[in-house]
Structure formats: C-alpha cells, structure tokens
Amino acid sequence: MASIPTPQPVPIRLEGIVKRFDHNVKGRIAAVDNVDISVAPGELLTLLGPSGCGKTTTLRMIAGFEHPTEGSIFIGDHDVTRLRANERNIGFVFQNYAIFPHLSVFENVAYGLRVQGRPEAEIRSAVEQVLDLVGLGGYGTQQPHQLSGGEQQRIALARAIVFQPRILMFDEPLSNLDAKLRGQMRGEIRELQKRLGITTVYVTHDQEEAMAISDRIAVMNHGSVVQIDTAEALYARPCNAFMANFIGKSNLLPGQVLQADARGAQVRVLDQTLQCLQAAPEVRAGDAVRVVVRPEQISLAPGGGPGSASVISRTFLGEKTEYQVQAGTATLHAVAYGAGASARLAEGQAVQVVLPAEGNAIIRD
Amino acid sequence: MASIPTPQPVPIRLEGIVKRFDHNVKGRIAAVDNVDISVAPGELLTLLGPSGCGKTTTLRMIAGFEHPTEGSIFIGDHDVTRLRANERNIGFVFQNYAIFPHLSVFENVAYGLRVQGRPEAEIRSAVEQVLDLVGLGGYGTQQPHQLSGGEQQRIALARAIVFQPRILMFDEPLSNLDAKLRGQMRGEIRELQKRLGITTVYVTHDQEEAMAISDRIAVMNHGSVVQIDTAEALYARPCNAFMANFIGKSNLLPGQVLQADARGAQVRVLDQTLQCLQAAPEVRAGDAVRVVVRPEQISLAPGGGPGSASVISRTFLGEKTEYQVQAGTATLHAVAYGAGASARLAEGQAVQVVLPAEGNAIIRD
Amino acid sequence: AGLTGPATARAAETLNVYSIWPEPYAKPMFKAFTQETGIKVNFLRFSSGEALARIIAEKNNPKIDVLFGGPIETFAAGVENGVFQVYRPPSTKVLPDRFKSPGGYWTAIADDPLVFMTNTKFLKDNHLQPPASWDDLLNPAYKNMLQMADARTSGTAVTRIFSVLEVNHRDENKTFAYLKKLRQNVQTYTKSGGGGTIPIGLGQAGGGIFFIVDALETRDKGYDVTISFPKEGIGAAAEGIAIVKGAKHLDAAKKLVDWATSAKMQSLLAPNKINFVPANPQVKTEPGLAKILSTAHIIQIDDKYAGANRKRIVQKWVDEVLNAK
Amino acid sequence: MPSHSAKSAARDPFFSSILAVLWILLAFFVLYPLLRLFLRAFTTDSGTFSLQPLLKVLGNPDNVHAFGNSLLLAAVVGVGGTLLGFVYALVAGRCGLSPRWTRVIDTINLLPLISPPFTISIAILFSFGSRGLITYDLLGISRYSAYGFTSTAAAEIITYFPVSYLTLRPILAAIDPSMENAAFSMGASRWRVFRSMTLPLAMPGLLNAFLLLFAASLADFATPLILAGNQFPVLPTEAYLQITGQFDLQGGALLAVLLLLPAAVVYFVQRHWLAGRSYVTVGGKATQRSDVEIVAPAVRRLLITLCTCLTAMILYFYLLLLYASLVMAFGANSTFTLANYHTIFTDGREVIVDTLIIAAIATPLGGLYGMLVGYLVARRKFVGRHVLEVTTMLNYALPGTIIGIAYLLAFNDPPVELTGTAFILIACYIFRYSPTGIRATVALLHQIDPSLEEASESLGASSSRTFRRITLPLVMPAFFTGLGVMFIRSMTAISATIFLISISWNLITVRILENMTELALGPAAAFSVLVVVVVYVVLMLVARALASLRTQQGGRIENILGG
Ligand SMILES: Nc1ncnc2c1ncn2[C@@H]1O[C@H](COP(=O)(O)OP(=O)(O)OP(=O)(O)O)[C@@H](O)[C@H]1O
Ligand SMILES: Nc1ncnc2c1ncn2[C@@H]1O[C@H](COP(=O)(O)OP(=O)(O)OP(=O)(O)O)[C@@H](O)[C@H]1O
Ligand SMILES: [Mg+2]
Ligand SMILES: [Mg+2]
C-alpha cells in the first residue's frame, strides 16, 4: 500500500463516556453507560458483546460521528470529544458498509487517498494492491449494486485500510464472509495493523474472531464494560456468570468451599473435590459458590455405576460432538472432539463424568 | 404465533438454473451456473459457499425477485419460473435486512399478517410473541433507524417467520449476532421450521451454523453446486480439495495407494499406513492420491525421536489450541482441546504426530 | 447594457420614459423627437396600471422623467399620489379644457372614442344587425358572448360606465340597472382595455366595447369585425403626458411634453396608422378615421363630475355589477 | 444503524461561514424587502403603525371570498399536480419504458414549465372557448365558457405538474427495490405494495411537491387573471388589481400577506408529518436490481395511455403556438410567414441577449444555492434551522407582483440602489425560484443514509469535500431539477420582473406580454417558441456536460432530460 512514513502510534482513552437515546417505550436509555477504556498505542482492542449492548455507539463516538452525552475522549494527548470526524484521521469500517453507491469499486477504495491528494499512479497501485488483498482484484470498475453482500463488505474493509489512518475502527467487518475468508481477512488485518502499528478498535460479535485477533478484549453488556483482559485471561478467569457464558460455554456448578487461602480454594462439586483459583473478593471456607467448568474439560466415558450420569442429547458438529448430560440434578454441557469413543455416545446412554481436578475459576455472584 | 392450519409442506426444484450478469471487465459472467437442486417438502436445505459464489442470486431467483437466464423453478408441482414474487408465498430474510424504514418495528413485523387480513387481536399477540422470541419484546414502537445492526437483523427474521409462509428463505439471517444469540436463534428457527414443516432454504457463510441447522447442505462455488449431502457426510467424505477445506479444516496429505478394493484402500502417508474409504471413481494400488486428515484427528504428544516433528506456531482459542507442525516436508494443522498436556506445547518444541488409523477420505484430483 | 449602475446616470441629453402607448406607436414618435431635438429617448412599455404602480413605488428616487400616453384616468390617479409635477406646455392655450389637467399636471396628446365592436360572422350566424343602441347589447343572442374590460384595471371600462351614466343623464339607478342586465351577457371582464379584441376577432366572443384604436387595429390585422356606434351616444377618453416629480432631466422632459402636445407630433399619427384622434385642434383627423367617426355620436363626459365620482362609481360597479350573485 | 447524529456547527469552519453568508443574503434579499413592504402595509395614512388596515381588508367579504377561492384552487392544484407528476414519475420509473421513450416524455413534459407567461392559458382559451378549436371546431359545442374554476385549475395543474414530476422521479428511483420485494414476498398484491411501500416511501417527495405546487398556485396571479373570469376571484389577482388598478399598494400588500398563512400551515404540516420517521432507502449496502415488475401490465397500459394523452395535449398546445408564430395573424390570416421571427431577431435582439445573460448568471448561482440550503436544512442541526427554511420559502410563496414591488421599495433608494441593474433581477430570481431545488434536495436527502457522509468524513474528507464528492452526486437529480427550474424561470418569469426590468435590462417575457397586449400574437408566439428552443438547447447541453462529467466517476444517476 501507500508508502508514506508510518505515523507514531497513538493511545486512545475514553473517560466516563455516557450516551443516551430516546427510546419510545423505555424512555431515555443509556446505550453506553459510564465506559472507561484505554487503548495502548499500537494495540488492537476488541469490543465484544451481545447485540444491542452499545458497541457500535461506542465506536461511533470515538470516530466522532456521535457526541457523548457525558465524558471525554482522548486520542494521543488531545481531548477530541468535540473534534469533528474528519479531523480525527480514523479509518472506519461501517457495520452497514456505507459504500458510496455512485462511485465504482475503484473510486470507493481510492477515496481516502484522493482526499490526501496522493499522485494518481500511487493511488492506482495502492488500490489494486488492496483489492487483491481482499480477493477482489479485477472488480475495480464494477458498481456497488453489482456486488454480493460479502464483496461489499470487503470493499468497505479495503477502503478503510488503504489510506493508513492513525487509528482504525472496525464494526463487524467480517460478518458476511465465510469462515475461510474471514480467517484469512482477519490474518491480513492483524498483520497490517501490527506492521504499521495502527491503534485499532475492533467490534465483533464473534468470540473466536475476537480471541484470534485481539491484544485485549473489552466485553460489554447493557452499555457497560464488564471485563477487559487478554483472551486467555478472560477464558480462564471470567469475573461473573455472564462472562463465563459469553466467552466460551460454561457449566456453572454450585459448590461448597471446603477450605481456602490466598492462592486457591478447594470446592466440593458434584461429589468431586476440585482445586480452584481464588476469586476476588476472596471466598472463605463454607461459602456457597459456583465453579466454572468448561464443556471441553469434562471427560465422558461410557459406563454406568454409582454416581453415573446419562446422555440427554447429542449434536454432531464436524470436528466435535456436543452432549447434554444429566448428572443428578445438574444438566452438564460436554464436548467430545475427534471421532474417538467418547464421540460416539448415544442419547440415553449411561456415562461417567470426570471434572478437571484443578485450575477452575470460582464466581460468587 | 398465528394459529391457522399448517399448510401442506411443498418441495422446491431447480432445474438447470443459469443467471448471467454483465461484469464490466470480465464480460458476461454466470453468477449462477447450471444449478440443479431439489428441496424435499419440509426440508431445511442450506446453501453454503464462499462470498460471491451465487448464494444470494440463487435465493432471489427462487423468491422471484430475479428471473433465471435459463432453467426452471418448481414449487410443488407448479413451474413458477415466471410467477410473480407475491404469488409464491415466501417469507424472505434479506441479507441487507430490507427493514421498512417508514414503519415502526411492530408494523414491520405485522406486515405479512396484515396482508393476510388477520384480525387485529391475533396480529397483536402474534407479533408480540415473535418479538419476544427474537429478544426484542418492548421494541414494538421503536423506529428502525433507532436499532442496532443486530436488532435490525432480528426484526427481519421476526418479520419473515411470523406469517408462516409456505416457504422460508433466509439470506445470512444471523450474521450480525453474537455466538450466543446466534445459537439460540438458529435453535428457534429450526424448531419452528420443523414444527410447521415449512420447506426452507437457508443461506449462510458459517459452516458451523450450516451443520447445526440443516437437513442437507448444498455447497456452492463459482456459481455451481459442488456437493449436496448431510453435514456428517460432507465432513466425512468431501468430494474434492475445495470441499475438504471448506467444511472444516483439512490436512491434504499426499500418499500412495498400497492396496485397494471396493470397500476401502490402504494408503501410505507420512510413513504411516492409513485405512481409507474408497473414493468415486475408485482408486487402485499404485495411484498417487491425497488423504484428508482433519486437524482434530491428529494427536500430538511432546517428545522427540525418529520421525518426530516440530511445532511452528501455536494459537490459543479458548476451548482449543491450534498448532502448525512441520513434519518432514509437510506442514500439518493440528488442534488440541481442553487444557491437557497437548494444549501446552510451545513453539519450537519437538512432537510425535499420530494420524488416525482408519476412516479417512481420499481425494484424487 | 452594463451589469451594474443605474441606467439613468448616462449621457446628458437623454430622457427616460415609461410609455403606455405600445411600442409600435411610441417608437416612431420618439424617433421623430430625437431627430428634431437630438435628445435620445430610452423607454419601457408598460400597461397603465403597472407603469403608475412603478412610478409610485419609485417615488423617492424616480428613475424616469416622463410618463407618455395612457388614459388621463391614470394621470389623475398619479396626481392623487403626488408623483407628477406641474408643467403647462405652450399648446395648453389652444386645447379644450377636457384635454388638460386642472392643476396643470398633465396634458392630453390624443383622444380616443369608444366603439361597439362585433364579430361579423357571429352577427350573420345569429341574424343580427350590428348593435346600434346600448339596448341592442342586452339581446339574449349575446348571452355569454360579450367581452369588455374590468373597471378596476381599465380606463376603457371606466369611460364605458361614465358613457352609460351620461346617456342616462347621470341617473345612477337607471345606469346600474342597465349595467346589471348587461352583465348577464358578459362572458368575462378582461383586465386590459383591449383584452377582448382578439377573442372577438376569433369568434370566441361575439362583441364588446373598446377604444377605437384597439378596434381598428383588430380590423387591420385581418379579423372580420364590425364597428358600430350607439345612437344614444358614447364617450371618449383622452391620452395624456406628464412629467414625473423629481425628474432628473427636467429640461429634456419639458421639451418632450412641448413636442408631444404640439401639432407636429400629432400630425404624425395618421401617417403611422395610429388611429387616435389628435387632441390638438390644429391637426386634422385622418380622413378614414374621420369617416368612421362621422356616423358616431360622441358625447362629452364631464371631467369634474367624472373626477369627483370615479372612485365611488367604480366601487359601486364592483360591488353591484361585478360581484353580483 | 444509529444514524441521526448531531453535528456541531461550532467546530466546522466551512459550515459556519456558509451559514453566516446565507443569513446575510437572506436578510438582505428576503427579509429586508418584505419588512419594507410590511411597514408600508401596516402604516396608516398618518404614518403610524397599526393593524387597522389589515382588519379593514379582512372585514371585506369579497376578500374573504377570494381567500377561500385561493385556498380551494391551491389545494386542488396541489393535489392534482402532485398526483399527475407522480403518475408520470411512475411511468418513467416503474413501467420499464425504454430510455428513449422516457426521454421523449421528459422532453415534452418540460414544455409547460417553460411556457412563457399565459401560453397555456391562451391555448386553453383558444381550444376550449365558445369557438374553441376543440370544443367548437372538433366537438361542435358552442357557447362553452372557458372561464372559471375548472379551466384555471386545469391550466395551473398542467403548468405546474412538471415540478412535481421532477421532484418525484429521483425519489422513486432511489427507493430500494428490496423494500418492495420484501413486501411482495409476504404475499402483498401489487396494489398493496404500492399503497404500503412505494407511496409512503415517496412521501417526502410527495409532500414537498405538494408544498411547492400549493404555494405556486397560491401565488399565481397570471393564470386566474386570464382564465378565472368573474365568478372566481382569487387573492393574488385581487392583490394585483389592487396595486395596478387602484394604485392601492397597501391593500395589495395586505392581501398578499394573507397568502403566507396557508403556505406556512402547509409547510408545518409536511414537516410534522415527516418528523420522527425515517425514509432512508439508499443505505450503506447497495442492493441488487430486481426483475420484479412493480406495476401490473394492465395498470401499466392505463398509466401509459393516460400520460400519452396528456402529453399529446401538451404537445398540441405548443404546436398551436408554433403555428401562431408562423402565420400572419392567428385565426384571420393564415398566410405562412417568417416575419414574426424576423421581428424578434431584429427588434428583440437586445432582450434576447439580456435574458440569456441574466439566466446564465442566475441559474448556476440559484442551483447551487438551492442545493446548499437543501443540504443544510436536511442534514445539519443548528439553531434557527426551521426559521432559515421558512425564510427561504417566503419569496416563493408570495405573488411575484408583491415581490417585485417589495424589491422596488427596498432597493430603489440609496444606499442600496439596485434598481436598474441586472443584479436586482438575478437576486430576485435566485431567492424566488430556488425553493424547487431546495425542496427536491431535502426530499431526496431524506432517503440517503447519513452514514455515507460519515464514511467520507472518516476518510479524512472535509465537510466541503464530502459535500462535493458524496452529497452532491447523490442528490444530483434534485440538483438538476433545481437547476432546470431555475433556468426555465429565469427565462420566463414575468410577474416580479415587470417591476424590476429597466431601460438597460429588458426581458423576453416582458416583450411577450407586451406583444400580447398589443394584439401582436405572432411575435409573441415567435418569442415563446424561441424561449422554448433556447431552454431545450441549454438544458440538453448542461445535462450532457454534467453526464459526461459523472460517467468519468462512474455515476449512474438519471438527469433532468431522462435516462
Ligand atoms: N447485478 C449484478 N451485476 C453484475 N454482477 C453481479 C450482480 N449481482 C451479483 N453479481 C455478481 O454475482 C456473483 C454472485 O453474487 P451473489 O450475491 O449471489 O453472491 P453470494 O453468494 O450471495 O455472496 P455473499 O456471501 O458475499 O453475499 C458475485 O460475484 C457478484 O459480484
Ligand atoms: N438513535 C437511536 N435512538 C434510540 N435508541 C438507539 C439509537 N441508536 C441505538 N439505539 C439503541 O442503543 C443500543 C445500542 O446500540 P448499538 O448500535 O451501539 O448496539 P451494538 O452493540 O452495536 O449492537 P449490534 O451488535 O446489534 O450491532 C441498542 O439497544 C439500540 O436499540
Ligand atoms: Mg452494532
Ligand atoms: Mg449474498
């Protein structure tokens, strides 16, 4: 792409951001409610959360399309809260693509470069390069209405990255692409972002995509940030039940703390004693808690006997098979990978359930 | 939802469907090229394929928004190729949602029922029920422009299913929803579809979604149907390299057929002898073929020794960890699930690779 | 034409005029004037109402020097609005009283009698004689087939109404009774005095009452129309000229008024086929025109009476005739 | 898609300076003249301000009657003209006509708009009068009166419907076919789809067209002057007569002021209607075209027949005009002659040149002005937005006579002595005839998702660049409409012009009017034909130039002269 000197990466900081809208029934709602987020220079931070939780609204405020009702936004050292969008130098991929319907594919992508007044030859080569990158080489002269949904989305992507802004914002940029292309595109985005050190905020509804692409992930719910951390930390130590279920699937098994200290706790769950990580605030012996057990950590083996459970349902999903298992009063979700014996359990079959012995997270809500 | 007597499920049949468009550079291209598909009454068939492969175009022709350049479309016993869209009685979820911007959420959803002239009370209860179903209870009086991307998509969904059409068509109906909601919605769609026996054509780019929801899947590429079958069959016996890589990930390992008969073949791959399923057309001893090995079927164990391989890269993805492994000249993709020892291999580490002994598919392209 | 700068501030010996006489009439007059005096005349042509409305609106900073032509009605209204200045040209002495403003604001340059004009084919189709009496126009054969001017906008109409008044010895009851009956036959009252001539020429309407200039013009164009006069008599209206108060070229303006009221200009009317009757008694009426007029019984409309009652009568006409249900 | 973003004016220099300039211009060319007029209207003879004159005017039952007539006429013309324009827009945009036929319809339908003053009225008189070519010669009806409400309304509808057509065509073109398709797929009949999708989605266009037509009819004095006859007095004519007949400027001004009321009511009703609803159909996702036939074949035939008949009639009116320009004396002497053309090209040379110069200057300025105001009003939030919007409509909603007088009062005396210059004519045109462009732009912008402009800004483009590169091309059809109407009006305006022409600057239309009153139908017709030809040639050239400009960027939006 264009070869101007890479700009210095800049940090982004949101302080106490609130955005209220009028809702016809619910009255004045806070679509974004007191959000504090810091994005380090050159970092890729993902906003993840259920539909309607305020991701797009947050992103639009950073980009300057919407002004916060309260709070401040800093880019670098500058308070940009009241700055206009075109003064922020942000590449934005819109959830609805926002393809210019009157411009050809080429002109759509070239737009940002033309604004910067780059020479024609440079524009031409940069655009062709990025079109190849998104798999649309040769589509330059097509009109937007002649493109498929995914093709349009890729144009939106190409348009935002080609002019190498100081900051990139992606609002579900890959939602209409197939898994393969999505994987490839997210690789490209990540590679480019790292190479150029562009501070990036990425919105997705796809947990896997979030984990694969992000330095850190901010999970939002109902307009607030629930937890910000790296993918592994979020997975290993969800801070509450919402988190436990939102990033990956969880079985939240009720248990009783047998004994606890600063390093950890022993919890009795389903007649098994599990070694768990300490929670914050700390739990003490005797507390009733819930233990997070991931479906893939549960081993199922065919066979009845005392304390055995039974398979309620089975779903084949290619690389894995999902089960629902009734163990006492609890219904467990479990997964078996590959085509081994545990992948061939039938509905109604009696099984032995083994929970992971250690490293389990506790939640106390 | 509305309680009219369920209509008799109808089959759909496409015969030799071709649709050509003008492409500015490539000339006249066939977006859909000689497609034959039969959908059984009450079946849910998914069209799956890379972006731009012709899924939307196919769907639009079935719905009557576009006329095929060649070929015929049958719904039930009727040739509907030239029938108008409103005579086909099809619920359609558009890839771009096509929410009516001038109508409230309630009126958007109620539209189909109003067309059918249902009584007001019935409409009201049906709409409220379906809005609850898609998690948007209480949004009835909102205007579409006040909704988030995912919320709009759910309205589109609600609008198409509420009036219980004879046929349902979904064009990536869940692409803007998070995994959890997506899982839940596809469950609802499937349940509804089965209960009412509505013949359904479903377009998605998401392999997992396709597998979870479909009776059968038609995989398309470059305008043609590559393979139609159940999810398990497609996964187990991909007919070519494209299929092997498109549904799930594959290692396509070159091998030599040692011995073959109608039931199967023995193939020598990476110094291991694997029992494989016979391909069509059959392979014979001495043929050079490729064997499809799924990443999750490869076991990695720490440890060097003769024939050992080494880890090139590791990506943590929550429930699983992906590896690239160098085995001789071949680069293998492998996956380890859970948090066992094989999930903690480091980059550069020497590992032993074990391929699955039997049930492997062969491709001979 | 320059994009900016008022046109008035041009060469010294020019004169700016609004002409109510149409261009084909005004142009040869001004041309002759320029030849005679070397003063160039810039003029714009407006209908009488528009011309006066402009002059009134421009009162504080007049753009023109002279208002040329047009019924003295208009001039009287102008005097009321205080837009003219007193000037009595030399020929005032020879003009009858009817042809000059009592205050000396305007002077007449021509006279214009009213006539009945009918479509000849219409007469024939309906087996009618050309109307020779005011009452002939009440014939139901004319129902919805007459066109004549609206008194609110047209001097023609006012002259017509006063003609009827005079014929009826200023008995307003009798007059308005007649006018109301006449209204039954009127298709439309046109906004300008000559507005009905072409429709009558084309046969859209059967007939009407017009100034002789307009009637003869219609006939000269080739339309088959018949001109006749009522035996009871019919009025005439004078055409005037006046200098605008605050005129920027006063001397030149005076020269134009002098010239227009002189025999010199008025003897140019006939050669230019302008069918006005010269106001200046020193000029002889063109024989053709004189011949037509010879059958006519032109009556005097008393200026004092007309001036004093005009507004009231017009309003009464509007209320009782025009808006009658 | 939370799209209704608030854009702060304060931090946008392009925007705030534009706004400032705009307000200064409006203050000077709209508010100030009207203020002068109002002062005049509400000042008693003793020189004090008073409502007494107004009460007097209102107390006159004739005026009240005329007011009622005006409302009736405006309502009928507004509804009739809007619907007729809509029918044409449907035929052009939804009936699958070939581009050539669309162009033919476009071309002919522009005629009434170009019609120099009174042409339609006169043609109606000659065709439908008691000896009319159609009523008498063709149908044998005699003594049919062409005067009155019906013919006035018909003439105004024919004269103004092209405005509605030009406003609505781009609106229909911009409706996303997937909306209609979605409705179809749910089993809705074509009629229902039309009723519940096409019609409501075109609502911004329909309401704006109605507003334009309603106000235009309310302000039109020329057509009723000729056609209304005596049974059907209307306010603008009364005002005109008051001023030019009774020389009662005050009374005339007061009558005219009354006209502002209904126009304002209509404006607020349409705003209220559109508020809080969204009509965005040009979203960020481009939609595929569709093969669906929106209009049923039978209806299609019906619509096309209807339009063909009306188009034929319009054509006939103008052939009549052409004929009149080529004979010695219409109806009396049918000898073929070019004398009339000779006359206009010798005597009329100067006015032709003057008219062209003024139109050439006023058109681009007025077009841009209309576009800009439309954009600001539809897209920007700033204090006094609605006041600005109303202000831009004022000169349009008042009869031209009144505007002419107001300008004369305001600009006749130093220090702002503009009378006698071309400047005053140009200013008058720009501020009187751009509302068509404004309303068309506003209507079209209602359909366009603001995220497109946001995308441009996020790519670093300034507001002005975004405006030029994104907004402008997207509302190009509305811009064309504004430009075309502006040019046509500059070539044909008469009512205000009468008071603003000067010895240095005289215009064709004034000459036409003059010729008419001089009974010189021939030259009047020849002038009219000339105007029509000039307008077509110029519009064609402009359309072509702009089209080629846009194809370089790969545009696809229709222009004023079709396809
Ligand atoms: N109107 C058109 N003119 C020209 N080409 C078109 C037109 N519509 C679609 N195409 C092309 O046809 C191909 C198939 O389009 P289609 O919309 O069916 O793809 P799709 O499978 O739905 O893809 P996606 O998953 O990206 O939505 C695309 O390559 C597209 O560019
Ligand atoms: N203009 C508006 N008026 C009223 N409510 C709005 C408006 N825009 C957004 N909302 C509401 O604010 C909430 C947050 O919207 P937002 O678009 O930020 O969600 P999101 O996290 O991007 O969701 P999705 O994943 O579905 O796109 C939603 O519930 C939405 O209904
Ligand atoms: Mg969103
Ligand atoms: Mg698609």
Side-chain angles (χ1 to χ4, degrees), chain A residues 56 95 171-172, chain B residues 148-149:
Chain A
T56 298
Q95 190 167 9
D171 196 356
E172 317 221 348
Chain B
S148 79

Side-chain angles (χ1 to χ4, degrees), chain A residues 21-23 29 31-32 49-58 66 95 171-172 203 205, chain B residues 139 142 145-151 154 176-177, chain D residues 1-4:
Chain A
F21 287 118
D22 293 317
H23 189 288
I29 57 156
V32 173
S51 171
C53 71
K55 305 181 294 293
T56 298
T57 309
T58 306
E66 213 116 22
Q95 190 167 9
D171 196 356
E172 317 221 348
V203 165
H205 57 261
Chain B
Y139 276 69
Q142 286 291 91
H145 69 260
Q146 298 174 316
L147 300 179
S148 79
E151 286 163 351
R154 283 179 275 163
N176 272 345
L177 306 182
Chain D
M1 178 185 47
S3 49
H4 289 255

Side-chain angles (χ1 to χ4, degrees), chain C residues 229-243:
Chain C
F229 294 93
K231 56 180 190 284
E232 299 88 347
I234 197 163
E239 300 278 309
I241 190 170
I243 299 179

